[in-house]
Amino acid sequence: MPKRLIITCSILCLAAGSALGAGWEKEVPTEINIQDPHLKRWSELTYDKQPPALTPGKDYGMDPATGKFNAPRATALGASPNFPGQLDHWDDKTYKSNVEEIAFYPHITSPWHAWPDVADFGGKRYMYLHDRDYMRVLDITDPAKAEVVYSKGGVWGPEGSSEDWDAKTVQDYFGGMTIAWSEKLQKNVVVASYEIGRFGILDNKRTQPDIVETLRQYNSLKGFKVYEMNGPLPSDWKLIATRTTDIKNPDAPVGKQQGTGSLDAPAWFGGKYMYLSAAPDDSYALTEYPDYLHSPGYQAWDMTDPANPLFVSQVTVPGQVVGDKESEDTYLMNPRAGNRTSWMGSRMPLFLPKPVEKGGTIGFGAMGGLGFYTFDLTKPGTPKMLGHLSIPPSFAGTEFDNADTSQYERTGYVFANGYPMNSNCYEPYKDVLVIDAKDPKDPKVVATFPRPTPPAEAEFTDYCQRRGSFGPKRSGTTHQPGHGRDGILPYAFYNAGLQIFDVRDPKDPKIAGYYVPRFPKPEEMPDYTYENASFAVFTEYDRNIIWLISIDGIRALKTPLLGEPKTGLTGEVWPPRG
């Protein structure tokens, strides 16, 4: 197997060895050997409650009587076996309802992940698609005739990536990034996250002390960088600030910084306050996830001057910090403690229904197995916890990863979900939860989104049979042009493609349309990438265009649910000024 396939593979792929084919023979030590003091303390708190391996067709699988899939009750993060009743091939058919394709652009992203954002320059709209090992910029002014105008890093095709990329040695990359207009600079500004490596480095923190130490002394920034955009292309950008999220040691050099760095794309709309997902130091270690060392909380930063970001506060919830008795006691009360599987802490920054500069006073936190939180942002620099919601465990996979607040101002409801990390439905199904947060002090789950089902013409009755991962990923980003649309919500759903939900009545959501792409052919992409299917969606609500990001490329889609798509720039320049 080429080296590049190991080092660029996401957790989804690493967890499911079957996805990599017969050549996957990575040796991972099995003997418990914990030397790091924070991990030792975490391990000593609990005993091993990792779920046992399950037998396909016996412990879970298709019900012959109903044609429905009975999901496992609990599984570990790891290899995901096939089960009786699955297809013995990759489905080559596309399914659609109320959605049409405008254009398809192959080999734009990697098959593992993509962070999207857009910005307008000189009467044109540019889309930025990137992960740590690549950056692509497209001119999407005409979505039917998009052009790649900047490309850096590996391009994927049938032989894999065109470039090797070693996660252990990378020193500079763009993580999740946010573009916003700065009133002070009178320019667009990029804030890019730089975090500790999550993929292709560590497999088991209890058996690989040498790699744990490598991550403690990580050879790249743990923090964020700020760039002044003097044009649409990265070659036009000027670095104006670099900060570490290690707030106790803000002058620590690379290799000596503690914590995680900034996860995902920062929550910043160009005003004074920016919110990050970050663990500030290595004591934030109360998490079961086998290949991650931290339980991230949140940070607030003052961005009045983008060239001089100032740390304001750290938000920590109970159950995150080793060595703190109250935190450890809370952690031990969590039924996930000891399962060696669950992600604990945030994966994304605070979710804001309205920027604080425009009068927003509420924020929401999706903190994995620690639950769902509401925060009072009346004093934006010091978020105050208001309410908390716990749900029964659902692992493997992540829990409370994403929160969609696009309908909150209208309805008082928020939608939240985790997503699958094992393939072949080898974990409980991840529902999209409807949360009544009209009283932020007392959020309640009042409904779930309907589970997508295949159309009648499909040769399977449940998407679990289609192979690969099945379940919700995310509904886009908080920086989509036009922000959102009342009553309509698209989700990337892995092997179920794009699913569009009618949420006019949040307590009774319905599937209003879908677009499920065919799997690629071997001459288009290697088959070990197919598990990830469609893993991201980005919607231009101001132009009525949905971009579906899949393993083999990106698709521009249209639907009457949004209205006729528009070409060129119409209305407000994006990102908005002021």
Side-chain angles (χ1 to χ4, degrees):
M1 180 179 185
K3 177 183 178 184
R4 58 179 171 266
L5 306 184
I6 296 176
I7 58 183
T8 61
C9 193
S10 73
I11 293 176
L12 251 175
C13 184
L14 290 170
S18 60
L20 299 177
W24 178 256
E25 298 175 351
K26 188 172 183 179
E27 293 291 335
V28 179
T30 57
E31 182 181 355
I32 304 300
N33 183 12
I34 301 175
Q35 299 177 17
D36 181 86
H38 299 295
L39 290 184
K40 276 188 176 181
R41 178 60 183 168
W42 160 74
S43 180
E44 290 167 356
L45 287 174
T46 61
Y47 60 92
D48 194 336
K49 295 185 285 185
Q50 180 171 302
L54 302 181
T55 303
K58 176 184 176 184
D59 299 317
Y60 71 98
M62 298 301 298
D63 184 337
T66 63
K68 295 182 178 180
F69 180 78
N70 293 324
R73 288 185 297 175
T75 55
L77 187 71
S80 306
N82 294 330
F83 60 85
Q86 275 188 294
L87 299 183
D88 61 2
H89 58 279
W90 294 101
D91 186 23
D92 62 358
K93 298 179 179 62
T94 295
Y95 310 97
K96 58 186 179 179
S97 173
N98 229 6
V99 182
E100 294 291 336
E101 183 179 289
I102 299 172
F104 172 55
Y105 303 98
H107 311 306
I108 296 295
T109 68
S110 88
W112 312 124
H113 188 63
W115 276 295
D117 209 339
V118 299
D120 298 337
F121 280 90
K124 295 184 177 182
R125 175 159 289 178
Y126 297 88
M127 173 174 278
Y128 303 85
L129 293 158
H130 61 101
D131 194 6
R132 296 163 180 82
D133 58 334
Y134 74 91
M135 166 76 78
R136 232 72 77 205
V137 183
L138 284 74
D139 178 346
I140 59 168
T141 311
D142 183 348
K145 299 177 181 178
E147 296 182 37
V148 176
V149 295
Y150 178 92
S151 180
K152 182 178 180 180
V155 177
W156 278 77
E159 301 302 319
S161 177
S162 63
E163 294 185 11
D164 288 354
W165 184 75
D166 190 342
K168 294 184 178 68
T169 61
V170 63
Q171 293 184 314
D172 194 29
Y173 59 83
F174 283 104
M177 73 182 198
T178 295
I179 303 173
W181 175 260
S182 167
E183 284 294 325
K184 179 177 177 61
L185 299 182
Q186 289 293 296
K187 293 181 180 181
N188 285 328
V189 170
V190 168
V191 183
S193 291
Y194 288 74
E195 62 172 299
I196 195 168
R198 274 193 264 172
F199 310 139
I201 303 178
L202 178 67
D203 291 279
N204 190 332
K205 61 190 178 186
R206 297 193 297 155
T207 69
Q208 296 175 297
D210 55 333
I211 301 181
V212 169
E213 186 62 21
T214 295
L215 291 175
R216 295 297 193 209
Q217 301 177 21
Y218 194 54
N219 61 345
S220 185
L221 174 68
K222 299 177 182 178
F224 62 92
K225 294 183 180 181
V226 185
Y227 297 85
E228 181 182 278
M229 297 181 77
N230 296 310
L233 306 185
S235 53
D236 303 321
W237 302 352
K238 176 184 176 183
L239 177 65
I240 58 175
T242 300
R243 293 291 185 272
T244 177
T245 49
D246 181 349
I247 56 177
K248 293 181 180 178
N249 303 286
D251 297 321
V254 168
K256 299 296 184 181
Q257 297 162 358
Q258 289 199 29
T260 58
S262 173
L263 281 70
D264 217 277
W268 183 54
F269 300 90
K272 180 175 182 178
Y273 291 102
M274 176 174 72
Y275 301 100
L276 305 177
S277 167
D281 61 59
D282 295 340
S283 69
Y284 284 66
L286 293 178
T287 183
E288 294 297 320
Y289 213 73
D291 64 6
Y292 201 67
L293 305 178
H294 300 89
S295 174
Y298 302 107
Q299 291 185 357
W301 286 74
D302 183 337
M303 292 289 288
T304 302
D305 180 0
N308 185 30
L310 302 173
F311 173 75
V312 181
S313 67
Q314 176 76 38
V315 177
T316 304
V317 305
Q320 293 195 277
V321 181
V322 295
D324 178 85
K325 187 177 187 305
E326 181 181 356
S327 203
E328 291 180 348
D329 288 349
T330 300
Y331 187 79
L332 290 173
M333 292 294 289
N334 193 310
R336 299 160 183 81
N339 70 18
R340 309 309 187 221
T341 300
S342 292
W343 180 285
M344 316 291 267
S346 65
R347 295 171 66 90
M348 301 176 72
L350 289 177
F351 297 88
L352 309 179
K354 180 189 293 186
V356 294
E357 291 81 9
K358 294 185 180 297
T361 59
I362 297 295
F364 298 97
M367 299 202 69
L370 295 178
F372 178 84
Y373 287 82
T374 61
F375 294 92
D376 179 359
L377 301 182
T378 304
K379 296 180 179 179
T382 54
K384 179 182 177 182
M385 188 167 63
L386 284 176
H388 176 232
L389 170 66
S390 293
I391 59 172
S394 176
F395 57 88
T398 67
E399 305 168 274
F400 283 123
D401 167 83
N402 180 72
D404 186 282
T405 63
S406 64
Q407 312 294 310
Y408 182 73
E409 292 288 301
R410 177 178 68 92
T411 67
Y413 291 89
V414 176
F415 311 118
N417 64 282
Y419 64 83
M421 294 295 265
N422 287 344
S423 60
N424 297 324
C425 293
Y426 189 63
E427 64 180 73
Y429 175 70
K430 299 299 180 288
D431 278 305
V432 180
L433 306 174
V434 179
I435 299 173
D436 182 343
K438 291 189 286 293
D439 179 2
K441 295 180 181 178
D442 187 26
K444 302 183 183 72
V445 175
V446 295
T448 59
F449 279 26
R451 188 179 192 271
T453 55
E457 66 267 26
E459 56 179 319
F460 47 93
T461 58
D462 191 285
Y463 275 110
C464 287
Q465 296 172 283
R466 199 177 187 231
R467 305 177 69 179
S469 294
F470 168 56
K473 182 66 184 286
R474 293 173 182 170
S475 54
T477 75
T478 57
H479 287 77
Q480 297 174 138
H483 300 289
R485 184 69 56 83
D486 285 352
I488 297 296
L489 194 59
Y491 267 84
F493 237 87
Y494 287 108
N495 72 0
L498 170 75
Q499 297 285 324
I500 304 177
F501 294 90
D502 177 344
V503 291
R504 287 174 293 179
D505 179 356
K507 293 181 293 185
D508 187 25
K510 299 178 175 65
I511 296 175
Y514 54 81
Y515 187 95
V516 184
R518 65 172 177 83
F519 284 102
K521 300 174 183 177
E523 59 266 28
E524 298 169 324
M525 289 289 287
D527 61 5
Y528 58 79
T529 67
Y530 294 2
E531 306 278 335
N532 230 8
S534 296
F535 53 85
V537 63
F538 185 90
T539 303
E540 296 180 79
Y541 287 103
D542 62 345
R543 300 203 305 166
N544 301 330
I545 300 162
I546 300 174
W547 295 90
L548 183 64
I549 303 169
S550 304
I551 50 179
D552 55 346
I554 63 172
R555 290 170 172 85
L557 304 173
K558 63 180 181 179
T559 172
L561 297 167
L562 293 180
E564 277 299 307
K566 301 174 184 178
T567 297
L569 301 187
T570 59
E572 189 177 56
V573 173
W574 192 264
R577 275 60 166 151

